[in-house]
Amino acid sequence: MKHTHVLFVLFIFGSVLCNAQTTQAPTSVPQGRLFTTEGKKIKFTSLSIGDKEHTFRAKPDSNQQTILASSVVLIQKQNGTKAGSFALIFGGVGMGLGLIAVSSLSNSSLFDLNTSQSVAFVLTHTSVYALIGVGIGAITKRYETVYDKRKPSNSTSLGLKVISPTPYSIGVGLSLSLGNTSR
């Protein structure tokens, strides 16, 4: 029983460490987007980060632009696309719909399905839906947050967070924030 508790505590500690984000910005980001205090979202192809201002290019052939470091709230680096994730999700949906269709057609007197036809039908649905997922996911960019200034600096946070390794699953969070609540 003690081993289970130790493993659980190590899992929680490890997941918090793995998902921790820093408030220190990196020195450069090759491609991504940043958000300003005014609510603007700026996509860039290269970003050089300085102490007082950041320089970036909105497009590869455009001129360098500068923005004050104090007006940047969030910097996210582009890490490819979500094609693989969408293929898995859509493929699972296609498989589920294929299985539902085969089970309803096998109970029908209009169609006489054997096992090989049923398997081919389910695999066809799965692959078609997975290809649709790849198509949609290929145009959806994946971003990783490398700098986040929105974290409260004058409060103490105590809490338990079970963080999911995938962005499409359900997690549990409990948080207690002790800080200055006066207005």
Side-chain angles (χ1 to χ4, degrees):
M1 191 66 165
K2 286 184 179 181
H3 296 299
T4 307
H5 288 98
V6 170
L7 288 174
F8 180 72
V9 169
L10 286 175
F11 171 74
I12 297 298
F13 181 71
S15 65
V16 168
L17 282 180
C18 290
N19 291 296
Q21 294 176 355
T22 180
T23 57
Q24 297 296 322
T27 57
S28 67
V29 178
Q31 188 173 8
R33 61 187 179 186
L34 62 87
F35 296 87
T36 65
T37 54
E38 294 88 28
K40 292 181 184 177
K41 177 174 69 170
I42 301 171
K43 293 184 179 183
F44 58 84
T45 57
S46 67
L47 173 72
S48 297
I49 298 173
D51 291 335
K52 297 188 182 202
E53 64 182 18
H54 308 317
T55 58
F56 66 93
R57 291 184 189 272
K59 294 181 181 177
D61 56 347
S62 68
N63 294 331
Q64 281 193 342
Q65 300 173 2
T66 60
I67 188 168
L68 292 175
S70 60
S71 65
V72 175
V73 177
L74 183 70
I75 300 173
Q76 294 180 328
K77 178 174 78 169
Q78 183 178 334
N79 281 341
T81 64
K82 296 182 180 181
S85 302
F86 277 49
L88 286 174
I89 293 168
F90 276 71
V93 168
M95 181 183 286
L97 291 174
L99 289 172
I100 290 170
V102 164
S103 68
S104 66
L105 288 176
S106 65
N107 294 334
S108 172
S109 61
L110 297 174
F111 295 100
D112 186 26
L113 291 174
N114 59 23
T115 306
S116 64
Q117 290 173 331
S118 299
V119 169
F121 186 80
V122 171
L123 288 178
T124 302
H125 262 78
T126 304
S127 60
V128 167
Y129 275 78
L131 285 173
I132 292 170
V134 166
I136 294 172
I139 60 173
T140 307
K141 307 284 188 237
R142 184 177 55 213
Y143 293 96
E144 172 190 355
T145 301
V146 294
Y147 174 73
D148 190 355
K149 193 168 79 172
R150 298 174 295 178
K151 292 184 177 184
S153 59
N154 62 350
S155 67
T156 306
S157 180
L158 170 68
L160 166 69
K161 291 185 180 180
V162 179
I163 301 171
S164 169
T166 62
Y168 300 110
S169 60
I170 298 172
V172 176
L174 171 66
S175 178
L176 171 66
S177 180
L178 305 172
N180 188 3
T181 58
S182 63
R183 293 182 180 193

